[in-house]
Amino acid sequence: MGRDFRGNDRGGGSSRGGPRGRGGDRGGGRGFDRGGRGGRGGSRGGGRGGGARGPPKAIVIPHQRFEGVFISKGLQEALVTRNFVPGESVYNEKRISVDDRVTGEKIEYRVWNPFRSKIAAAILGGVKDIFIKPGAKVLYLGAASGTTVSHVSDIVGKEGVVYAVEFSHRSGRDLVNMAKKRTNVVPIIADARKPLEYRILVSMVDVVFADVAQPDQARIVGINSQYFLKKGGNFVISIKANCIDSTNKPEVVFQHEIQRLRDEGLTPKEQLTLEPYERDHAVVIGEYNA
């Protein structure tokens, strides 16, 4: 269930953009062996229906609301981003190549799995805006090994940059290796609670995204926004209810976190739960005006 803070309830649309496989192989092999019975007629009918038809080529179209995000339409419908490093996968995700209709060159896209990315889950859930777009500067808190960071890298492109902060050194190694080929990603192995330690590496940004799953995550977003988020910039925070208070209902936890964000000088604009992709998770999107 999605909700903005003007009192409008919105359906979460949990299955929007989900896989569709209807009619995938119908008629695939009709006429495959016509004319070849018992050797009769030699090559009679040799060219008719000579083989099963392959799957139709995928068509990739821009997402109507999110610049830099695309939808692949084929046997299955999927959310995709244009690969910043063609020929390379980050986490063994599926890649799709299509011909550019104008130049004829191959363009490669990477399938964006909503079960492995809170941002992808929010897009498919019907969120109004994530504010991450081509050319944007993004501070990503809780980057882990870089799965979602790599898709954000695809979206912001050559003119944008992703400052990816991760505390774990083990995950940080994967993040650093990923960033070696993605020149628009700046990996930072540091504690997001201490932005002074990496202030020299980060410029002012347009968006702060946080997926830190810590009890004090509202404060973490607030202090990083004070240092790095432009006035009028936007934040997107993923809230995992169990990490904050496992004794309360998720809806109650989400409301407490929204108030904490307000206390940090942040203005929540929209809230969206992430089911069926994530249980007891929500994203809150808003603006920084302090």
Side-chain angles (χ1 to χ4, degrees):
M1 173 72 72
R3 185 163 68 84
D4 63 26
F5 291 91
R6 293 188 293 273
N8 297 321
D9 288 336
R10 300 168 45 238
S14 58
S15 63
R16 288 174 60 185
R20 288 165 49 189
R22 219 167 127 201
D25 286 318
R26 288 174 63 187
R30 286 182 64 188
F32 177 76
D33 205 25
R34 289 179 65 185
R37 290 181 297 169
R40 227 172 120 199
S43 60
R44 184 174 153 207
R48 293 175 57 194
R53 291 181 299 176
K57 288 185 177 180
I59 299 173
V60 176
I61 60 173
H63 197 287
Q64 291 183 349
R65 291 185 295 118
F66 300 103
E67 190 179 358
V69 180
F70 301 84
I71 298 173
S72 168
K73 292 180 175 287
L75 287 180
Q76 291 185 330
E77 197 169 284
L79 204 66
V80 298
T81 54
R82 183 170 178 171
N83 197 354
F84 188 78
V85 187
E88 294 285 338
S89 293
V90 174
Y91 56 99
N92 294 320
E93 70 279 11
K94 182 179 178 182
R95 289 175 283 134
I96 301 169
S97 291
V98 299
D99 295 324
D100 187 288
R101 293 182 179 180
V102 178
T103 65
E105 66 176 324
K106 290 283 187 184
I107 301 177
E108 187 175 270
Y109 297 87
R110 301 166 54 232
V111 173
W112 198 359
N113 186 346
F115 290 96
R116 298 190 63 172
S117 171
K118 311 296 194 313
I119 298 177
I123 291 173
L124 291 178
V127 72
K128 289 180 180 178
D129 205 342
I130 56 171
F131 301 99
I132 298 170
K133 56 189 177 181
K137 293 182 178 180
V138 180
L139 175 60
Y140 194 119
L141 306 175
S145 58
T147 297
T148 299
V149 170
S150 67
H151 288 285
V152 175
S153 162
D154 288 343
I155 294 170
V156 303
K158 294 180 180 179
E159 302 301 318
V161 63
V162 186
Y163 301 102
V165 180
E166 173 54 38
F167 179 70
S168 165
H169 285 266
R170 177 178 293 181
S171 297
R173 283 195 295 270
D174 294 332
L175 180 66
V176 169
N177 288 332
M178 182 269 290
K180 288 177 180 177
K181 294 183 178 178
R182 291 179 171 267
T183 54
N184 62 355
V185 176
V186 179
I188 301 169
I189 312 305
D191 188 345
R193 293 183 178 90
K194 302 174 182 178
L196 282 174
E197 293 183 356
Y198 49 85
R199 70 189 186 281
I200 196 170
L201 300 173
V202 182
S203 65
M204 297 300 288
V205 301
D206 305 296
V207 183
V208 171
F209 174 79
D211 183 16
V212 292
Q214 295 294 326
D216 60 341
Q217 60 185 7
R219 189 190 71 82
I220 292 171
V221 173
I223 192 171
N224 278 274
S225 296
Q226 290 171 24
Y227 277 105
F228 306 118
L229 187 56
K230 296 175 182 177
K231 185 175 181 180
N234 297 96
F235 69 89
V236 182
I237 179 173
S238 171
I239 302 172
K240 183 177 181 181
N242 287 343
C243 286
I244 297 168
D245 184 355
S246 60
T247 65
N248 238 327
K249 292 183 178 179
E251 296 79 10
V252 175
V253 175
F254 298 150
Q255 291 309 307
H256 286 170
E257 285 304 294
I258 287 168
Q259 184 55 52
R260 289 178 181 176
L261 289 168
R262 291 192 177 107
D263 294 342
E264 294 291 336
L266 302 164
T267 305
K269 300 279 189 178
E270 185 180 6
Q271 175 190 338
L272 180 81
T273 56
L274 296 184
E275 293 182 358
Y277 307 109
E278 297 282 355
R279 184 179 178 185
D280 297 338
H281 279 69
V283 291
V284 176
I285 300 99
E287 188 175 332
Y288 178 66
N289 290 309

